[in-house]
Amino acid sequence: MSTEQLKDYLNTAISLAKEVGPAFKDGFWRTGLFSADSDFAAGDKTGNGADCVTEVDRFIEKTIFSRLREIYPTHKFVGEETTSEGGNDYKVTDDPTWVVDPVDGTNNFVHHFPYTGISIGLAINKEPVVGVVYLPILNELYMAARGQGAFLNGEQLPLIRPPVLTTPTSLAECSLVCEHGSDRSEKVMGSRLASFARLLLDKKHGGGCIQNLRVTGAACPDITLVAKGVAEMYWEVGPHAWDFAAAVTILIESGGAVFDGAGWWGSDIPESERILKPLNIWNRKLLAIRYIPDLPGQPGSGREMQKKLARELLEIVEDIPYPPDGTH
């Protein structure tokens, strides 16, 4: 894939995000196209009230996919709303595949919490190569293409840089962003809460004593915090590819690292076989770590520290089995 082709894909994604931005704002503020007397139609997707969809989600996704099909008729398309309505039986291929969440953080959106936005990603050979995350209410436009860096409103990421950006050496020096998910079954919530407790627990009782744990309600904006350098890590099991595909490219291009997020706590995996695995965006398990500067006189130490922190976290969080997105 040439640099020019990736730039073309990125520019298309940026243009589309900006095009649907006004509709997003109308829906958020209930004005214009989605005024207070219009059919907003917030519906329950999971049956437990924890995950919803609105007419704004459907309108934006339809608009984005309609434009993309006109420009790239041979590409594939995976979107949160069309997939949730049509089922998980789509085929994941190596073909260029646009992965879209029209309103990432819909619960934030319907509660008028501004930490919500539009996510447009492109995967080729099943790997993310282009990402745009647009948070219209905050006026933040994140963008990245493989090998070309990551930017927020034209400024290169991470925004926080050495010497202000430090090199954490343990979880106790880290801020973690995560989500509780929409599956509220007793087993799943018990597992999540137990992992959260171990992350926060002091070290003498076997915990990570992480400095703080943030739950903000939207995966792509979460990961952009890590790319920006204002949080050290993001971890979640259970999100779908559209929840984070765009942000993964932004995180990687900011100097961050991503890994498979399946935890080792309570597993029967021998310690000798507990190795970090590369991220597969279709497997719904993600661990992301921000850019870490090298220590003085130790080239490559930043990358090694990313791996060290990843291992520390995976040792104290437990995996939750989820079926992968699509068929392979």
Side-chain angles (χ1 to χ4, degrees):
M1 182 61 56
S2 71
T3 298
E4 289 306 311
Q5 185 66 73
L6 285 174
K7 284 183 179 178
D8 175 72
Y9 292 149
L10 178 60
N11 288 333
T12 296
I14 293 168
S15 176
L16 288 173
K18 290 180 176 179
E19 178 183 342
V20 297
F24 187 100
K25 291 180 180 179
D26 277 351
F28 186 89
W29 296 116
R30 300 304 306 275
T31 59
L33 190 62
F34 297 100
S35 61
D37 58 355
S38 67
D39 182 16
F40 192 66
D44 182 4
K45 289 201 295 188
T46 60
N48 63 9
D51 195 10
C52 62
V53 60
T54 73
E55 283 303 312
V56 184
D57 297 74
R58 298 186 180 102
F59 176 86
I60 290 178
E61 184 168 307
K62 182 178 179 180
T63 301
I64 290 173
F65 281 168
S66 175
R67 299 284 192 273
L68 287 172
R69 287 189 175 97
E70 292 174 359
I71 304 169
Y72 309 115
T74 63
H75 288 193
K76 302 291 194 301
F77 307 91
V78 175
E80 176 172 15
E81 307 318 328
T82 51
T83 301
S84 63
E85 293 171 4
N88 192 45
D89 58 353
Y90 60 90
K91 179 77 172 173
V92 176
T93 71
D94 290 336
D95 295 336
T97 302
W98 292 91
V99 187
V100 172
D101 190 342
V103 180
D104 188 25
T106 304
N107 279 339
N108 287 352
F109 183 84
V110 300
H111 289 284
H112 309 287
F113 184 63
Y115 210 63
T116 174
I118 302 151
S119 169
I120 305 174
L122 175 66
I124 299 178
N125 296 323
K126 303 186 181 74
E127 296 184 358
V129 295
V130 166
V132 169
V133 176
Y134 181 33
L135 311 183
I137 310 305
L138 299 177
N139 192 32
E140 293 185 349
L141 179 62
Y142 297 84
M143 64 190 75
R146 178 175 288 182
Q148 298 177 38
F151 301 85
L152 165 59
N153 295 345
E155 188 170 353
Q156 189 160 13
L157 297 174
L159 294 186
I160 315 301
R161 295 179 173 272
V164 176
L165 188 70
T166 59
T167 298
T169 59
S170 74
L171 291 181
E173 300 171 26
C174 294
S175 170
L176 173 70
V177 193
C178 59
E179 297 297 333
H180 47 59
S182 58
D183 186 340
R184 304 301 169 81
S185 63
E186 183 176 10
K187 182 177 181 180
V188 168
M189 288 309 301
S191 174
R192 288 192 193 280
L193 293 174
S195 290
F196 292 166
R198 283 189 297 274
L199 286 164
L200 292 165
L201 192 66
D202 61 42
K203 290 193 173 185
K204 70 179 181 180
H205 292 103
C209 200
I210 202 156
Q211 280 193 334
N212 62 67
L213 188 152
R214 301 171 182 169
V215 179
T216 60
C220 271
D222 285 349
I223 299 168
T224 62
L225 288 176
V226 182
K228 193 158 45 173
V230 300
E232 277 68 46
M233 310 175 78
Y234 168 87
W235 169 74
E236 191 177 0
V237 292
H240 294 279
W242 51 78
D243 290 316
F244 58 82
V248 163
T249 303
I250 295 165
L251 185 280
I252 292 172
E253 287 300 313
S254 73
V258 292
F259 306 96
D260 181 276
W264 300 327
W265 177 271
S267 75
D268 56 4
I269 302 173
E271 284 200 27
S272 61
E273 297 178 20
R274 295 185 177 188
I275 58 174
L276 296 174
K277 297 179 181 179
L279 173 69
N280 179 335
I281 64 167
W282 308 99
N283 278 353
R284 305 179 60 188
K285 301 173 184 186
L286 170 65
L287 170 57
I289 302 178
R290 71 159 167 84
Y291 164 71
I292 296 180
D294 289 340
L295 294 169
Q298 300 182 44
S301 59
R303 286 296 185 189
E304 290 305 310
M305 191 58 66
Q306 288 173 328
K307 296 174 184 177
K308 177 181 181 292
L309 294 173
R311 294 188 190 97
E312 282 188 24
L313 184 139
L314 293 177
E315 287 286 0
I316 57 176
V317 298
E318 55 193 273
D319 189 23
I320 300 174
Y322 282 98
D325 283 329
T327 58
H328 299 256

